[in-house]
Amino acid sequence: MRRKLVVANRKMNGNLSSNKVFFEGLLAGTQDHKNADYVVCVPHPYLFQAEAMLKGSLIAWGGQNMSRYESGAYTGSVSPGMLKDFGCEYVIIGHSERRQRGHDTDLSTGERFEVATNAGLKPIFCMGETLEEFEDGLTDIVTIRQLNAVIQEIGMQGLAKGVLAYEPVWAIGTGRAATSEHAQNILSFLRGHIEILDAEVARNIRILYGGSVKADNAAKLFSMPDIDGALVGGASLNTEEFVALCQAASQAKSN
Ligand code: 13P
């Protein structure tokens, strides 16, 4: 059984006081919704606050990126060990906003996935095509290329330690979410590819959809047999909306 998982990617938003309101709202709003898992990925400076406020609750927290190195002369970078020091369970790897600016490549995301799992973190590995690639019918080719880069680096047992997320670039922050049918098709295709390599990993690995997920489209997305939850940007900045989304996940059937 794959429990639904909802991940807030707060991107470069929030401050001490707005985070406090968000965490309090989330703690109160999810206490009767124990049938799903929740993660909040905040900017690095606020990990201490997430740890202080969420420790011992249903809600886990994580980083939005990390270095592939353990330590050294990498100005401005944060290592996996540093994320662990602040209680992180998860880290986002390969988000398109980092791929697009050249910070991440297929090779570096594979390496980073491995470094994260070695440090005991669960990577949330993002894949997705641009609008141009979507219009050219290249979604399958692009996502498989991104997935295979990780599989090549860490193998199937390594992959099983993470979570996958399909986030089409054209759906991120645009209000134009993929239809639940499109998202289901791609996730089923990705799971099918994994199944050929290892049926058990395919059965157990959680694959999320991300891109303009809101309270009003969540239930339909969560009803799909291969969609195991959501990676949420904009809607995670509104506490009520995000809590509603968590409730939809808790009320949905596990896959
Ligand atoms: P939006 O939910 O704002 O489209 O962002 C999705 C995303 O990038 C999550 O990582």
Side-chain angles (χ1 to χ4, degrees):
M1 289 277 268
R2 303 187 303 270
R3 273 164 71 88
K4 293 281 192 267
L5 172 65
V6 182
V7 181
N9 175 8
R10 304 256 297 167
K11 306 194 180 180
M12 199 173 71
N13 292 293
N15 55 41
L16 282 176
S17 59
S18 64
N19 293 344
K20 182 167 182 285
V21 172
F22 175 65
F23 292 148
E24 283 170 352
L26 195 52
L27 287 167
T30 54
Q31 60 187 356
D32 294 329
H33 297 281
K34 300 202 164 91
N35 295 326
D37 298 320
Y38 313 111
V39 180
V40 181
C41 293
V42 293
H44 293 149
Y46 300 118
L47 288 172
F48 84 95
Q49 192 187 13
E51 182 173 39
M53 291 193 65
L54 303 177
K55 202 171 186 165
S57 78
L58 275 179
I59 302 154
W61 58 97
Q64 297 173 6
N65 181 47
M66 52 156 234
S67 170
R68 72 186 113 148
Y69 304 109
E70 280 172 26
S71 63
Y74 302 103
T75 302
S77 298
V78 166
S79 74
M82 293 169 188
L83 296 182
K84 288 293 287 182
D85 267 351
F86 287 91
C88 287
E89 193 176 333
Y90 290 85
V91 60
I92 296 173
I93 302 274
H95 193 282
S96 60
E97 285 157 15
R98 298 195 58 83
R99 289 182 191 260
Q100 281 177 327
R101 288 171 182 79
H103 298 296
D104 273 334
T105 61
D106 286 345
L107 181 65
S108 75
T109 52
E111 289 173 358
R112 201 169 285 136
F113 194 115
E114 180 171 32
V115 170
T117 55
N118 287 346
L121 290 161
K122 294 178 190 150
I124 300 165
F125 176 69
C126 303
M127 299 161 280
E129 79 286 8
T130 63
L131 179 60
E132 202 180 359
E133 290 164 340
F134 173 66
E135 287 173 348
D136 288 345
L138 298 176
T139 303
D140 292 1
I141 291 173
V142 170
T143 50
I144 285 292
R145 191 200 71 221
Q146 293 168 338
L147 178 59
N148 278 342
V150 166
I151 293 175
Q152 248 167 34
E153 188 73 25
I154 50 150
M156 297 311 288
Q157 291 318 306
L159 187 75
K161 295 179 186 157
V163 172
L164 305 180
Y166 167 59
E167 288 209 316
V169 178
W170 48 268
I172 295 176
T174 59
R176 180 189 170 192
T179 62
S180 41
E181 289 77 18
H182 172 79
Q184 164 60 27
N185 281 344
I186 303 303
L187 267 59
S188 157
F189 166 72
L190 293 171
R191 199 181 299 284
H193 178 73
I194 295 169
E195 191 173 10
I196 294 167
L197 303 169
D198 190 316
E200 198 185 335
V201 174
R203 233 183 345 268
N204 294 323
I205 196 162
R206 290 195 278 197
I207 314 183
L208 314 180
Y209 165 74
S212 297
V213 178
K214 309 272 182 246
D216 63 6
N217 60 13
K220 184 128 190 269
L221 286 161
F222 294 161
S223 70
M224 294 289 159
D226 284 291
I227 300 181
D228 302 320
L231 181 52
V232 184
S236 75
L237 301 179
N238 177 321
T239 307
E240 272 174 31
E241 171 118 25
F242 189 69
V243 165
L245 232 147
C246 294
Q247 290 176 0
S250 183
Q251 283 158 5
K253 223 166 48 55
S254 295
N255 290 326

